[in-house]
Structures are given as C-alpha cells and as structure tokens.
Amino acid sequence: MEQVLHLFVMLFSVGLYAVAMIGGVLGSILATLAPFVLFMGLFLMGINQGQSRRKKRRELLVDQLGLVADRYGFSGILEGASVRLQERSTGSGKQRRYYTDFSARTGVSGLVLNSQSSFFAARDVTVGDPPFDETFRTYCGPEGLGWLGADVRYALRALRREGFVAHKDGVLTLILSGQSHSAEACERLLRLVAQVSVAMQQGGDLVQQVQDEPEANVRWRMLEALGQQDVVAAKIEARRLLQSDSDPTVRLQAALLLRHEAALLEGIRSDRADPTLRSAAASTLSGGARCVAVEALARDSMLWV
C-alpha cells in the first residue's frame, strides 16, 4: 500500500508540473505549486520509509528476539548477556547530533576502556599488545589485565571497526552516529556486543591468563600485575616461567619476583629483554652483583641505572 501511495504522489507531482508548463494563468499558479507538491511528496515518502524501518526494527527486536521496548529503546537478554539499544541526541539546533548506543553489561568493575582519542590523557596501563594499545586507552588496576585475554582483545578490536567503543562501570558500549539503522544491523550489532561481553565475563583469573597468553609482552606485564595482586600465586607462576618460558623479558620479570640474583644478571645482560625492566632489575641488586649489572648496562647507551 505504501509503495502505491508513493507512486501516486510521484506521478501526480510530475503530471501537475507538466500541466503547469502548458497552461496560462492556471499554469502559472500550478507552476508555483508544483515544486512544493513534489517536495511534500518526497518528504512524506521519507517519513513513511522511516516509520516502516522503525516498525520492522520493533517487530524484530521485540517479537523475535524477546526484548522489551520502553520510551528510550529496547532491553533484555541476548546471547546470555543483558543488552540494551538506546537512541539519544546531544546539543541543540544545528549542533544537535544523533547517536545509537548498543550496550551489554559485563559486570567487570575497575576497568575503563576508550577507543583511542586525543580527548583522553595518556593511558594508565600499557597492555603490551601493540594493535590493542594503538586502538584503546586502558585504565585499570593490576586486576584489570585479567579481563583482557587474547580472545577478548581481538574481539574488542573487531568491535571497534563497527564504531566507537567504551567500557565503564561494568558496561560495554558500541556507539554509532545516526538513528536510522536497519533492524538487521541492530540485531547483528547487539549480538556482537553481547558476545564480547560474555567473553569478558569469563576472564578475570590472572593466573590462567598468564598461562594462556601467547604474547610475551603481555605475559610479563600480567605476571607483574599478579605479583601486585597475589604474591604467593605470582611466585608459583614465576618459578614455572623461569624454567620454561623462552622470552628473556618474561624470565627477567619472574626473576624480579623471586629475587633470583643469577637469573636477574642473565636477564640484564640480554639485549632482547625490555630496556626499562633491565634497569629496574639492576636497581634491585647490591654489592658485586650491582657492579656487574651496571657494567652490562653501560654497554648499551640507551640504558642507565
């Protein structure tokens, strides 16, 4: 029915304009009215299309996905996560901007993430995964790294390709500009946010994350964080990593936790180990061992004690 109405408005407007080009006085009047009628026809078509899109979105989200509609959006359970779709605006007049928020509750407190932006200060935490660190600003205590395993970091980067991503107060949010997203797009994005949220909820165990982490630069930082959270568990992991890990920086961090002098000197001598950690390790030594460490670092003009 809507398509028939749209076709009628278009044909009527074109016919009216054609008559206006032929007639006399009446033609002049019609020539004046024709552009207005054509504009109104197109305007009404746009409104009808927008209403049709909203109706379809409501039917999908409420009837098929079981979400609950309220004044501002939709909420409910999807993919095992508590989700919400909300439309909002900022500013006024010509400065008004419209946004759609796709959010899911993670329950992870103490972890704040923001897509990289000049509006935020330098990050509090370097996770150690360059693609992730280039994409997000991370603010958290030692326990926060436990929620950022390799799978979660990959999923968050994939989510960032869809729009602006933020995590605060236990809620993960994907923010898109505009409010005319199709029903299919809304379902896809809500499911994607929900899946990342569930993945984050399954993290939190730093010991397990240290054992599973494939990136050495992240692994040694997680071991360091574990040492600030649980010294006993950290030393157990440190003994294992000191014997089995192939990365010199990870072994050096393990040696720092264990205060293992021979392993510390070995790590300090390695130019493959993290420069900052080498200097920090040297500062913990004393006597002859410190002299040996200083001599080793002196060979590298980039380091100092």
Side-chain angles (χ1 to χ4, degrees):
M1 184 64 184
E2 289 181 358
Q3 293 178 345
V4 174
L5 175 62
H6 297 163
L7 181 60
F8 173 77
V9 171
M10 289 293 294
L11 291 176
F12 177 77
S13 301
V14 172
L16 189 64
Y17 193 77
V19 172
M21 295 296 98
I22 300 174
V25 177
L26 179 60
S28 299
I29 296 175
L30 293 176
T32 303
L33 293 176
F36 174 75
V37 173
L38 182 60
F39 170 78
M40 288 302 298
L42 294 173
F43 178 71
L44 291 174
M45 286 174 61
I47 291 178
N48 286 332
Q49 288 176 349
Q51 291 176 342
S52 177
R53 186 182 294 112
R54 284 186 170 83
K55 181 181 179 181
K56 184 178 180 181
R57 182 172 61 183
R58 182 184 181 89
E59 290 174 349
L60 175 66
L61 297 177
V62 175
D63 298 340
Q64 296 185 33
L65 300 184
L67 302 185
V68 178
D70 57 34
R71 181 179 178 184
Y72 300 103
F74 305 86
S75 60
I77 304 298
L78 190 63
E79 300 284 347
S82 176
V83 300
R84 180 168 181 78
L85 184 154
Q86 179 173 326
E87 296 178 341
R88 60 184 175 86
S89 62
T90 60
S92 60
K94 294 182 178 180
Q95 301 300 318
R96 185 176 293 276
R97 298 291 182 270
Y98 296 91
Y99 301 94
T100 303
D101 295 347
F102 303 83
S103 60
R105 181 162 295 280
T106 66
V108 178
S109 60
L111 173 64
V112 178
L113 293 172
N114 285 295
S115 299
Q116 189 81 299
S117 170
S118 60
F119 291 105
F120 299 107
R123 69 179 64 84
D124 287 341
V125 174
T126 297
V127 176
D129 181 351
F132 183 84
D133 287 329
E134 291 168 4
T135 305
F136 290 97
R137 297 288 190 185
T138 305
Y139 308 82
C140 65
E143 70 286 350
L145 290 181
W147 307 104
L148 295 175
D151 291 344
V152 170
R153 298 197 305 274
Y154 180 84
L156 285 169
R157 286 171 51 211
L159 191 62
R160 176 65 181 92
R161 288 193 284 272
E162 303 287 350
F164 183 87
V165 177
H167 181 275
K168 187 178 181 181
D169 298 329
V171 177
L172 176 67
T173 305
L174 170 67
I175 304 170
L176 270 63
S177 60
Q179 297 181 352
S180 59
H181 308 289
S182 69
E184 293 77 11
C186 288
E187 179 187 5
R188 182 179 68 83
L189 293 173
L190 269 179
R191 287 190 183 280
L192 186 57
V193 173
Q195 289 165 2
V196 179
S197 170
V198 171
M200 291 183 69
Q201 293 175 40
Q202 294 172 348
D205 186 344
L206 261 177
V207 173
Q208 190 64 48
Q209 296 291 7
V210 170
Q211 295 174 357
D212 295 341
E213 178 55 51
E215 295 287 339
N217 280 336
V218 180
R219 196 159 60 249
W220 76 259
R221 287 179 170 87
M222 285 183 169
L223 180 60
E224 180 184 36
L226 181 60
Q228 299 174 40
Q229 185 185 50
D230 187 337
V231 176
V232 175
K235 287 185 176 181
I236 293 174
E237 278 304 299
R239 291 189 184 93
R240 180 183 67 82
L241 292 170
L242 192 60
Q243 299 298 321
S244 63
D245 203 287
S246 61
D247 185 82
T249 303
V250 175
R251 293 199 303 272
L252 181 56
Q253 178 60 55
L256 269 171
L257 286 171
L258 298 171
R259 292 292 188 264
H260 193 299
E261 185 175 285
L264 283 170
L265 288 173
E266 179 185 349
I268 291 169
R269 292 190 183 102
S270 173
D271 57 6
R272 292 173 51 224
D274 180 80
T276 303
L277 197 61
R278 291 171 67 191
S279 293
S283 67
T284 65
L285 298 173
S286 60
R290 183 179 177 84
C291 292
V292 172
V294 170
E295 182 180 351
L297 294 178
R299 301 192 188 101
D300 190 338
S301 60
M302 297 294 293
L303 298 174
W304 54 275
V305 180

